[in-house]
Amino acid sequence: MEGPTPVSALIHAATMVTAGVFLIARSSVLYEYSPLILELVTVLGALTAFVAATIGLTQNDLKRVIAYSTCSQLGYMVFSCGLSNYNVGIFHLMNHAFFKALLFLSAGSVIHAVADEQDMRKMGGLKKLIPFTYSMMLIGSLALMGFPFLTGFYSKDVILEVAYGKYTTQGHFSYVLGVLGAFLTAFYSIRLVCLTFLSKPNGFKKVLCYSYDSSYYIVTVLALLAIPSIFIGYFSKDMLIGLGTDFWGNSIFILPDNMNLIDAEFIPHKYKLLPVILSILGASTSFLLYRVLTEFLVFFKLYNKTIYTFLNRKWFFDKLYNELVVQFFFKFSYSVSYKLIDRGIIEIFGPLGLSTLVTKKAYYYYKMQTGYLYHYTFVMLVGSTFLLGTRQLWLIFGLFMDFRLFIIVYITIFFYLNSKD
C-alpha cells in the first residue's frame, strides 16, 4: 500500500493477486482428480473470504480497506474453484477487476485531493468538494458489496448459490462464511464512504479549502471504468457462465460428477435471497452507525477494545509472521549465512585464507632469491637429495604401507612445516 495508487490498481485488479486464481482454473485437470485438494482449496478460500472481511472492518487507511476487500474477494474466487466451478470463479475475477480498479483509482483521486492523506479519520465532508470522485467511489462500493443489478451482484451471488447447491459439508461451510462475508463487505464499503465523504470534516482547514476533483485524464478513466462496473456483469453472464455456453472450450475441465450449476438453479429461494438481504442490512447498519448512532459506536469501541484491537491488528498475523518466520531468518542469515559461511568458510578459502597463504609463501620464495650462485647450487643439491630420499623411502615403506596413506602423511608434514613460518 506504500506504492503509487495506479500501481495498486493494476496489481489488485488484474495482475499479481489474481494470478493464483487463474492458475487454479487452468490447472483444473489436476484438481479435478484430487478431491482432497479441492476440499482444502474450498476451506482455505472460505476462511480467507471471512477473515479478510473482518480485518477490513477496522482498518483506517483508505487503501488498506480496499486492499483487504481484494483479499476477501479472492477468497470467494478460490472457494468457487474449490467447488469445481472454475468458470464462475474467473467470471467473478473479471467483474472484480473493473470495480476494484475503479475503487483504487478513486481512492487515488481522494488522496490527491486531501494533500496525500490516507487516514479516513482525517477526511470527511468531501462529498461537496469532490462530487465526481464521490459518485465513482459510491458506484465501486455498491458493485463490491453485490448491490442488486450491478456487476458484483451477478458473480458473487452465483458463487454462493453453487456453494449451497453442492450439498456437501465444505459447500455449506463456504456458503455460511461467504454470506457472513457479504454482510461484512457491505458494512466496510459503506463505512469507507461515510468516513471519507459523508461525515463532518475532520481534516485541516487549509487542506479542505484547496480540495478539488482530479484532472480530466483521471476523471475520464474513472468514468470509463464506472460503465463496466455497472453493466459488464449483466452483459457477459450468459456468455461466461450460462448453461450450455461453449465459451471456455477446452480451457477448463470439470468432471461430470462435479458439475452443479443446474442444481444451484433449484435451491430454495430464501438461500438465494439471503446474501442480498444481508448485504443491504450490512450497508444500512454501517450507515446508521457512522451517520446517526456515532455515540453508540464510540461506546461500543471503548467497551470492546479487545475485539477491536484483534481485528485492527489483523488477527495478529503480522506479529506471528515477524516473530516466528522473520526473526528466524534474521538469526539464520546473520549467524549461519553471514558469520559461518560468508565470513567463515568463504573467507578461509578466499581472501583471508588461500590468497593470504599464497602471497605469504611467494614473499618467502622471493626473499630466497639472493643472487649468489652457490646459494642456488646449494638449493639444487638439497632438492635433489630430498627427491632421492623420498624415492628411497617410497621403496622401503611401500612394501608395508598403502601408497595413498603415504601421500597423505607426506602432504601433512609439508603443510605443517610451512605453517610454522
Side-chain angles (χ1 to χ4, degrees):
M1 288 305 94
E2 286 69 24
T5 308
V7 176
S8 303
L10 284 172
I11 287 173
H12 284 256
T15 52
M16 188 180 71
V17 297
T18 53
V21 180
F22 178 78
L23 182 63
I24 292 174
R26 290 292 283 146
S27 305
S28 54
V29 178
L30 301 176
Y31 283 97
E32 284 298 288
Y33 290 103
S34 308
L36 287 175
I37 301 301
L38 277 179
E39 291 177 12
L40 179 65
V41 169
T42 305
V43 172
L44 287 178
L47 287 172
T48 302
F50 176 73
V51 170
T54 60
I55 294 172
L57 284 177
T58 54
Q59 297 304 306
N60 298 311
D61 188 311
L62 179 64
K63 287 172 68 179
R64 284 186 190 278
V65 175
I66 305 172
Y68 277 105
S69 80
T70 303
C71 190
S72 180
Q73 298 306 305
L74 282 170
Y76 282 95
M77 301 172 206
V78 168
F79 81 68
S80 172
C81 292
L83 295 169
S84 296
N85 287 282
Y86 308 96
N87 51 347
V88 180
I90 295 293
F91 179 48
H92 189 54
L93 185 151
M94 185 200 75
N95 290 348
H96 170 263
F98 291 107
F99 56 76
K100 189 49 57 75
L102 176 64
L103 280 169
F104 263 114
L105 292 177
S106 299
S109 181
V110 172
I111 293 165
H112 179 68
V114 292
D116 299 333
E117 180 59 66
Q118 292 186 207
D119 195 331
M120 294 187 297
R121 295 169 296 183
K122 298 179 183 177
M123 297 181 190
L126 297 177
K127 177 184 174 183
K128 294 181 180 178
L129 298 173
I130 46 173
F132 185 81
T133 304
Y134 164 67
S135 305
M136 297 299 101
M137 186 72 89
L138 187 61
I139 291 171
S141 297
L142 291 174
L144 171 65
M145 62 180 261
F147 193 80
F149 311 115
L150 294 183
T151 290
F153 168 76
Y154 291 98
S155 50
K156 181 188 275 189
D157 279 38
V158 174
I159 288 175
L160 295 173
E161 286 171 18
V162 296
Y164 187 87
K166 202 73 177 176
Y167 295 109
T168 58
T169 305
Q170 62 269 18
H172 287 168
F173 174 77
S174 55
Y175 175 81
V176 171
L177 289 188
V179 166
L180 292 174
F183 174 83
L184 299 174
T185 302
F187 189 95
Y188 65 67
S189 296
I190 300 303
R191 171 180 177 264
L192 181 148
V193 173
C194 288
L195 286 176
T196 308
F197 297 99
L198 303 178
S199 62
K200 293 179 181 178
N202 292 313
F204 295 104
K205 181 180 178 182
K206 187 177 180 181
V207 171
L208 293 175
C209 287
Y210 289 97
S211 296
Y212 57 91
D213 263 320
S214 297
S215 64
Y216 288 112
Y217 298 107
I218 297 175
V219 164
T220 305
V221 172
L222 294 179
L224 290 173
L225 283 169
I227 296 168
S229 296
I230 300 171
F231 298 112
I232 197 73
Y234 172 74
F235 284 114
S236 60
K237 181 175 185 289
D238 285 336
M239 179 180 71
L240 294 176
I241 60 170
L243 295 173
T245 178
D246 195 36
F247 176 81
W248 300 103
N250 294 323
S251 303
I252 292 174
F253 172 77
I254 306 174
L255 287 173
D257 292 344
N258 292 339
M259 291 182 182
N260 74 316
L261 261 178
I262 297 176
D263 298 332
E265 295 290 329
F266 297 99
I267 65 172
H269 279 289
K270 60 182 179 181
Y271 295 112
K272 288 190 175 187
L273 294 173
L274 189 60
V276 182
I277 293 168
L278 284 178
S279 290
I280 295 171
L281 182 64
S284 306
T285 307
S286 179
F287 185 81
L288 282 172
L289 285 175
Y290 284 91
R291 293 291 295 132
V292 182
L293 304 174
T294 50
E295 293 180 0
F296 172 76
L297 187 66
V298 173
F299 172 82
F300 182 79
K301 283 184 180 179
L302 288 174
Y303 284 89
N304 292 278
K305 282 184 180 178
T306 306
I307 299 172
Y308 182 83
T309 306
F310 180 69
L311 297 179
N312 184 255
R313 296 285 299 277
K314 307 153 196 170
W315 288 45
F316 293 99
F317 282 128
D318 287 352
K319 184 176 176 63
L320 289 171
Y321 176 74
N322 285 329
E323 292 189 359
L324 297 180
V325 180
V326 176
Q327 291 298 324
F328 167 76
F329 279 106
F330 272 145
K331 290 176 182 175
F332 173 82
S333 60
Y334 177 72
S335 59
V336 178
S337 176
Y338 175 68
K339 289 183 73 176
L340 177 64
I341 299 175
D342 188 23
R343 296 300 300 274
I345 298 170
I346 294 175
E347 289 289 346
I348 288 170
F349 287 101
L352 295 178
L354 225 58
S355 60
T356 306
L357 179 67
V358 169
T359 307
K360 194 175 178 182
K361 295 305 173 188
Y363 177 74
Y364 288 143
Y365 291 137
Y366 160 74
K367 296 296 285 183
M368 288 173 64
Q369 303 297 319
T370 60
Y372 294 106
L373 183 62
Y374 54 85
H375 285 170
Y376 297 151
T377 308
F378 175 72
V379 169
M380 291 168 63
L381 180 62
V382 170
S384 303
T385 306
F386 179 75
L387 289 173
L388 290 171
T390 303
R391 180 178 178 279
Q392 195 62 34
L393 284 172
W394 178 272
L395 293 173
I396 295 171
F397 290 104
L399 299 172
F400 311 105
M401 188 186 299
D402 189 354
F403 74 93
R404 290 169 293 187
L405 185 62
F406 179 78
I407 291 171
I408 292 170
V409 172
Y410 180 77
I411 292 172
T412 306
I413 294 170
F414 174 78
F415 277 106
Y416 175 74
L417 293 173
N418 277 284
S419 65
K420 296 187 76 175
D421 294 336

